[in-house]
Amino acid sequence: MKSRAILSSIILSALASSLTGCGSSTKVTNTKETSVGQQLTDLEHARQQGIINEKEYAKLKKAIIKNND
């Protein structure tokens, strides 16, 4: 179950980051700041445990890096 929570956190973080530039007046904030390194580590763990596949891993990794550039 912890793995699903980690994956959910990663996905929500990536989505929240991508929504902040959509021009909407609604501001999405992340109450718990997670470093890029921790996000990538969590993502790698999810891949290793089979929670996400290689294609999902590559897509999410790219989104994390892009949103923190």
Side-chain angles (χ1 to χ4, degrees), residues 12-64:
L12 288 174
S13 178
L15 288 174
S17 295
S18 66
L19 290 176
T20 58
C22 69
S24 172
S25 62
T26 304
K27 185 174 181 182
V28 177
T29 58
N30 187 359
T31 58
K32 181 180 177 187
E33 293 294 322
T34 307
S35 71
V36 175
Q38 185 61 53
Q39 290 177 34
L40 293 173
T41 299
D42 293 344
L43 185 63
E44 175 65 19
H45 286 281
R47 186 191 62 78
Q48 289 175 350
Q49 294 175 356
I51 297 169
I52 59 173
N53 62 35
E54 289 294 327
K55 187 175 180 180
E56 293 167 321
Y57 171 80
K59 183 177 179 179
L60 290 169
K61 180 179 175 185
K62 186 175 181 179
I64 291 168

